[in-house]
Amino acid sequence: MPRYVYQNLETGEQYEFEQRFHDPAYTHHPETGAPIKRLIFAPAVVFKGSGWYVKDSKASSTASSSAKETSSCATGTCSAAAD
């Protein structure tokens, strides 16, 4: 279940609540009744680059042949025509 961070509008104190994804955001603290608002944060996981799935997935015949072409081009013996 996702955890959401809320801030008390009067004191600035922050709270974490577990809520279902489709539940509406709280406008008041469930126990004290103080006005609160949901804070927005950047996601905890950020994927960068070409992606892990390209390197870690099951190798196919097309993936292995393209890897061979790339390695031969790196040595200067690339024979594929770029049309």
Side-chain angles (χ1 to χ4, degrees), residues 22-44:
H22 295 289
D23 287 348
Y26 291 138
T27 56
H28 290 84
H29 194 284
E31 296 173 6
T32 64
I36 58 176
K37 69 174 181 174
R38 186 186 291 180
L39 300 178
I40 306 297
F41 286 97

Side-chain angles (χ1 to χ4, degrees), residues 8-9 16 18 24-26 30-31 34 39 41 43 45 48-49 55 57 59 62 66 71-74 77 80 83:
N8 187 321
L9 296 175
E16 284 189 8
E18 284 188 6
Y26 291 138
E31 296 173 6
L39 300 178
F41 286 97
V45 178
K48 294 183 179 180
K55 298 175 187 171
S57 64
T62 58
S66 65
S71 64
S72 66
C73 289
T77 60
D83 288 319

Side-chain angles (χ1 to χ4, degrees), residues 2-4 7 10 12 14 19 29 31 36 48 53 58 60-61 65-66 68 75-81:
R3 297 177 68 90
Y4 295 101
Q7 184 174 12
E10 296 170 348
Q14 293 185 354
Q19 290 181 279
H29 194 284
E31 296 173 6
I36 58 176
K48 294 183 179 180
Y53 54 87
K58 183 177 176 182
S60 65
S61 61
S65 65
S66 65
K68 289 177 185 175
T75 60
T77 60
C78 185
S79 60

